[in-house]
Every structure is written in C-alpha cells, then in structure tokens.
C-alpha cells in the first residue's frame, strides 16, 4: 500500500512537471520562471522545497532521542525566514540577478568573487542533497525492505527528469503541490490518533507513561551524544539555522522568481505562516513515539514518523495512514532535491558548461540544453558521494549545510546589501575564510566521523561550528574591506541605488549576463 502511494506521488510529480514543460520556452523560464510567480504560489513552492528530509523525518527523530532541546531545530528553521525578510528579501529581488554568483559579480565587479560563490553553491547544494538521498533510501527500505540505494536512485532519476524538462517554471508547480501533500500527510495521522484516543479513553494512560519517562528524556543533545558544552551547542545551532537560511542557494533562487521586491516580502510573510503550521507536527510524532516505538531511540530514530501509524493502528487503518506518511516523505525528498538541483545546475551551466560548449560548437549551441546537462551533473555527483559516505544523520547533516551558508553567503549578502564600504577583497576573503573553516568542520563530521564519546571544547566546536565560523567570516570581511578601500567597486553607488530603490521609481535594473 505504501509502495502504491509512493508511485502515485511519482506519477503526480512527473505529470505536473510535464505540464510545466508545455509553458517553459525561454532561458528565463528555466532559471526564474520569467519572474512572474505570485506571492502565495511562490510561498507554497518555497515551503515545499525547504521542508526537506530533515524536517519531515529528522526533527521528529532528534526530539525522540534527545527531548525538548531539539525543538530549537523547528524554531531555527522558521526564524531563518524572518531574518531573510528583514535583511535581504526585497533588495535581492531588485538586484536583477539569476543566481548567487550573478549577484556577487554585479555587486563586486569581480570574477574571483563570482567563481568562489560558484564553488560554494555547488558545495552547499551537494551537502544538502546527501540527506535527501539518505531519507529517500530510508523511506523505501522501511516500506518495502529494498536496499537504501533504490530509493535514492528513484529520487535522482525523477528529479533529473523534472528539472531537465521544465526548469524553474516546472519545479514551481511541483513544489507548491508537494508542500500541501506533505502537510496533509504529516497532520492527518496525528489528528486520527488523537480523535480515536479521545473516544477510547486511552490518552490518560499514555500521558502518564510519558511523564514517567520525562527525567530520562530531559538529557540535552550534547550530553546525549557524549559531548560537553550543551549551551554552546544550542546557541551555535540557532545561529546556523537563523542566518544560514539566507545563504541557501535553492532558497535564494526562488526570490528571483517574484515580480518585484514588494512581492518578495509578501512571499516571505506567507512562508513564515506555512512553516509554522508544518512544524507543529514533528514534535507530536516524537512524543507519541516514546510510547509506541521506544526501541527506535537506540536505533533508527529517523524512521519514527514512518513507523508510528502502523504501531498505533495495526491492520488496514495503520497501513492507510502509513501509506499517506510515506507519500509525504517521498514528496519531501523530491521537492527539496528539485530545488537544489535547479540552483546547482544554474551555476554549473553558467560558470562551467557554456564557455566550453561555445568552443565545441563554434557558438552554435542552445542554452536550455546546457542547463539540462548541468542538471544531470548536479544529481550524479551527490549520488556518488552519498554512496561513498554511507548512512547519515538527516538533521545533523542539514545543520552543517546551514552552518556553511551562514559563514559564507550570509556575510556577503548582508554586508554587500547594507554596507557601502565593503570591498572586493573583503568579499573574497570572507567567503574563503568562512568557507574553509566550516568545510573543514563538515569534513571531520561527515567523513572522518569523530567517535561518539569525543568530549571537550574540540568536539563541541567541530560538531557545531557556526558560533565561531560566522563571526570569523564577518570579521574577515570588515577588516579586509577597511584595509583595502581602494578595492571598493567603482559601481557601488549605482548598485546600492538599484538594491534599495522601490520598483515604482524608474531605475535601470537590467542584468545582461545571460
């Protein structure tokens, strides 16, 4: 039954994507949906791609294992959009760029800054794709018993088909549909469980059992993992989630699809409401999981959302609810993977493929075709990396991607938009220093995998690096810029006018990179 539900999600995803193909004709359609997406539609699409494997499965698993401390994941994921709304949403849309490297080149007039941004976009996107593939593999394995690579390969193939077929316009339709599917899939089992409990008089006993487990469950994340300094870990995590959102390439590229800066702000407000509605439910799965799936605390905690309906309602009812949850989980992997693939493919296409295709074809090439080749590369590389690395913690891996974004693109965007004295050298130095520091921490966590019992400040600083890498990046940008005032871009005043002047005022916002 769950396999049938997943099949229906796949069919709907491909079908909606093919509909998008019918109206995707230009390069602008593929990159930014011709900048014509309404705020409500765009907000649903943004929420669809943002609510990834970490949100659908990982948050509930972390709360199941570590208790209320992990509620900060839900808070941080949502508050990140408030920071984005206040600091960069409207100016970023007014920049007229198509991708983050486009913005960097326009603002700082430097190919070095652009290339550095391109490398970071690919790196962050790849790191974020790893848990999506892991989650897809876990879902298919849970419902069918198939190896994890089967689910990961399914997601990879479907994403390539959709992205290559219709680009951003196609993916917008798909992601908006998938948000509402995910919300329905997550909320419906919880409501059914609570209603049936209320009618049978069982909730009291369940709550008593949860109360008895409260002391054991109150252990914070850091101690639960054998690490010290839980207060530092919490604040560092919050910094990464709150400020990393504005540096995620697949999130930012969606703001370029808004008609204007005002629409970008309205989109962000709606996104806050949609995310807040969604994040009510993962903690409830964790609470119920403590009663019905306690063995998962020591094992596959990320599967609690998938396992719970069948444990509460053995039989047909549980199978139906489990199938709905599996469908929502698969939609989560597809939507986030699609957004990431569009963002990565856009950068690979512009900065790597086009120049080479021009040389090979003597200038006789089609830009849309190079985008499709880039989309294939953007999925194949993360799939191979996931196969080499193996099993990952969903929410922890996504948290590291947020830390990289917070320590690289966040300083560049915030200071680049609001500080006239930021120089080209400052921008490049901040990206390189912040990126090197956080990527080193990521490599230690994801590849070297320090032992669970690693204690002391060394383990804490590597496990949650944002609290020191983000200030380091901001400080590097400021100091390097102050030391190199002669490297302030000549067009800074013109860029600032374009970024901060409302669309009603006649200002040249053309961007002719494509």
């Amino acid at each position: 039954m769950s396999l049938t539900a997943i099949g229906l999600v796949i069919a709907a995803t491909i079908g909606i994507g093919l509909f998008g193909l019918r109206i995707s004709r230009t390069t602008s359609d593929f990159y930014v949906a011709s900048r014509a997406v309404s705020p409500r539609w765009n907000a649903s699409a943004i929420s669809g791609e943002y609510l990834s494997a970490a949100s659908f499965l990982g948050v509930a698993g972390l709360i199941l294992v570590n208790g209320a401390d992990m509620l900060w994941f839900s808070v941080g994921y949502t508050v990140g959009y408030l920071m984005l709304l206040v600091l960069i949403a409207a100016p970023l849309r007014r920049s007229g760029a198509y991708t983050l490297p486009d913005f960097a080149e326009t603002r700082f007039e430097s190919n070095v800054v652009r290339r550095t941004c391109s490398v970071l976009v690919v790196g962050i996107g790849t790191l974020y794709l790893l848990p999506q593939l892991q989650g897809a593999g876990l879902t298919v394995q849970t419902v069918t018993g198939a190896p994890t690579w089967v689910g990961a390969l399914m997601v990879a193939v479907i994403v390539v088909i959709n992205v290559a077929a219709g680009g951003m316009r196609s993916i917008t339709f798909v992601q908006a549909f998938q948000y509402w599917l995910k919300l329905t899939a997550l909320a419906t089992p919880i409501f059914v469980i609570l209603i049936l409990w209320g009618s049978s008089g069982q909730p009291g006993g369940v709550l008593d059992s949860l109360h008895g487990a409260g002391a054991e469950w109150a252990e914070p994340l850091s101690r639960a993992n054998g690490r010290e300094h839980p207060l530092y870990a919490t604040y560092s995590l919050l910094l990464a989630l709150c400020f990393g959102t504005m540096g995620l390439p697949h999130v930012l590229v969606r703001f370029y699809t808004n008609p204007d800066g005002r629409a970008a702000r309205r989109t962000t407000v709606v996104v806050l409401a949609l995310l807040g509605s969604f994040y009510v439910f993962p903690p409830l799965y964790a609470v119920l999981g403590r009663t019905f799936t306690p063995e998962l605390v020591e094992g596959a905690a990320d599967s609690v959302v998938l396992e719970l309906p069948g444990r509460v309602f053995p039989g047909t009812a549980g199978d139906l609810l489990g199938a709905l949850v599996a469908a929502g989980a698969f939609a989560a992997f597809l939507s986030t993977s699609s957004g990431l693939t569009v963002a990565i493919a856009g950068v690979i296409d512009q900065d790597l493929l086009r120049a080479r295709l021009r040389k090979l074809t003597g200038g006789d090439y089609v830009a849309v075709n190079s985008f499709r080749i880039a989309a294939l590369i953007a999925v194949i590389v993360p799939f191979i990396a996931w196969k080499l690395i193996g099993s990952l913690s969903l929410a922890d891996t996504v948290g590291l991607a947020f830390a990289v974004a917070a320590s690289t693109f966040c300083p560049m965007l915030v200071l680049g938009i609001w500080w006239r004295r930021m120089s080209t050298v400052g921008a490049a130095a901040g990206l390189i220093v912040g990126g090197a520091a956080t990527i080193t921490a990521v490599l230690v966590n994801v590849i070297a995998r320090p032992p669970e019992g690693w204690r002391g400040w060394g383990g804490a600083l590597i496990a949650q690096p944002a609290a020191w890498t983000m200030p380091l990046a901001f400080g590097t940008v400021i100091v390097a810029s102050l030391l190199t005032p002669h490297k302030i871009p000549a067009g800074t005043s013109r860029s600032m006018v374009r970024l901060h002047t409302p669309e009603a005022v006649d200002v040249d916002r053309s961007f002719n990179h494509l």
Side-chain angles (χ1 to χ4, degrees):
M1 196 172 292
S2 295
L3 192 59
T4 301
I6 291 175
L8 291 174
V9 170
I10 294 172
T13 298
I14 295 176
I16 296 171
L18 292 176
F19 170 76
L21 171 63
R22 296 176 58 190
I23 55 177
S24 295
R25 293 291 181 266
T26 67
T27 303
S28 183
D29 282 332
F30 274 78
Y31 277 97
V32 290
S34 292
R35 306 191 193 276
V37 183
S38 67
R40 291 182 182 178
W41 193 261
N42 208 16
S44 295
I46 289 174
S47 301
E49 75 172 355
Y50 188 64
L51 296 170
S52 63
S55 296
F56 201 93
L57 300 180
V59 170
L62 281 176
I63 297 173
L64 173 69
V65 174
N66 301 303
D69 278 8
M70 296 300 94
L71 290 172
W72 288 117
F73 270 94
S74 299
V75 173
Y77 286 146
T78 306
V79 172
Y81 272 92
L82 180 60
M83 300 295 102
L84 195 152
L85 169 66
V86 172
L87 295 173
I88 70 169
L92 191 65
R93 169 58 189 88
R94 294 187 189 121
S95 70
Y98 281 81
T99 63
L100 265 173
D102 286 344
F103 170 85
E105 183 181 26
T106 305
R107 172 64 179 86
F108 300 107
E109 303 171 11
S110 168
N111 285 328
V112 172
V113 176
R114 180 188 179 90
R115 292 192 197 99
T116 306
C117 286
S118 299
V119 171
L120 288 169
V121 165
V122 174
I124 293 171
T126 300
L127 181 62
Y128 213 122
L129 271 171
L130 295 180
Q132 313 314 314
L133 299 173
Q134 170 74 13
L138 176 64
T139 299
V140 172
Q141 184 181 56
T142 301
V143 301
T144 69
T148 55
W149 66 265
V150 174
L153 183 61
M154 289 170 63
V155 166
V157 171
I158 296 164
V159 166
V160 169
I161 292 173
N162 264 2
V163 173
M168 179 61 78
R169 187 178 288 278
S170 175
I171 293 305
T172 296
F173 296 135
V174 171
Q175 290 174 334
F177 156 74
Q178 288 171 337
Y179 167 76
W180 294 104
L181 173 61
K182 284 185 279 188
L183 182 62
T184 302
L186 205 62
T188 300
I190 291 295
F191 283 126
V192 172
I193 291 171
L194 294 179
I195 290 170
L196 291 182
W197 270 3
S199 63
S200 63
Q202 295 182 26
V206 174
L207 293 176
D208 288 342
S209 67
L210 289 176
H211 179 72
E216 172 194 351
W217 203 12
E219 283 296 309
L221 168 68
S222 300
R223 296 189 190 284
N225 284 345
R227 300 189 182 106
E228 297 174 342
H229 312 296
L231 185 62
Y232 164 83
T234 299
Y235 280 111
S236 187
L237 173 65
L238 278 175
L239 275 176
L241 298 182
C242 290
F243 292 96
T245 302
M246 69 179 67
L248 295 177
H250 67 299
V251 170
L252 295 181
V253 74
R254 291 226 59 94
F255 283 88
Y256 300 135
T257 66
N258 284 291
D260 52 41
R262 182 185 178 190
R265 287 199 179 99
R266 290 174 59 195
T267 295
T268 312
V269 172
V270 179
V271 168
L272 286 169
L274 296 180
L275 295 182
S277 300
F278 182 90
Y279 281 122
V280 169
F281 299 103
L284 295 177
Y285 277 89
V287 171
L288 296 172
R290 269 282 165 164
T291 296
F292 291 100
T293 59
E295 74 280 2
L296 295 181
V297 174
E298 302 297 332
D302 286 334
S303 67
V304 63
V305 174
L306 299 168
E307 297 276 5
L308 184 64
R311 299 295 183 89
V312 178
F313 303 113
T316 303
D319 291 342
L320 287 171
L321 292 174
L324 181 61
V325 172
F330 215 76
F333 316 136
L334 288 174
S335 58
T336 301
S337 299
S338 298
L340 287 164
T341 302
V342 169
I344 298 171
V347 170
I348 294 175
D349 176 23
Q350 289 192 39
D351 294 341
L352 296 177
L353 286 182
R354 290 197 179 192
R356 287 167 174 77
L357 286 175
R358 284 194 182 99
K359 291 179 180 178
L360 290 174
T361 62
D364 183 21
Y365 83 106
V366 179
V368 168
N369 289 338
S370 66
F371 178 87
R372 288 168 173 161
I373 296 171
L376 183 61
I377 296 171
V379 172
I380 289 177
V381 172
F383 181 81
I384 294 173
W386 171 76
K387 283 291 293 178
L388 293 175
I389 293 171
S391 180
L392 303 164
S393 169
L394 300 182
D396 283 346
T397 306
V398 169
L400 290 171
F402 273 78
V404 177
S407 303
T408 53
F409 291 131
C410 175
M412 183 195 75
L413 289 168
V414 172
L415 294 177
I417 289 172
W418 296 101
W419 191 37
R420 292 176 176 271
R421 298 176 65 185
M422 185 172 177
S423 71
T424 299
V425 173
L431 290 170
I432 293 170
V433 171
T438 47
I439 290 171
T440 299
V442 167
L443 292 176
V444 173
N445 277 284
V446 175
I447 297 178
R449 298 189 184 184
E452 290 292 319
W454 189 14
R455 304 178 67 87
W457 274 109
L461 293 173
I462 291 296
Q464 297 290 347
W468 60 275
T469 56
M470 185 177 162
L472 175 64
F474 268 98
T476 300
V477 172
I478 293 171
V479 171
S481 295
L482 293 176
L483 292 176
T484 57
H486 58 288
K487 292 294 185 178
I488 295 175
T492 294
S493 296
R494 183 176 63 254
S495 295
M496 287 297 182
V497 169
R498 182 170 60 247
L499 293 173
H500 297 288
T501 303
E503 282 78 4
V505 179
D506 186 15
V507 175
D508 180 15
R509 303 178 192 280
S510 61
F511 185 79
N512 299 316
H513 180 75
L514 290 179

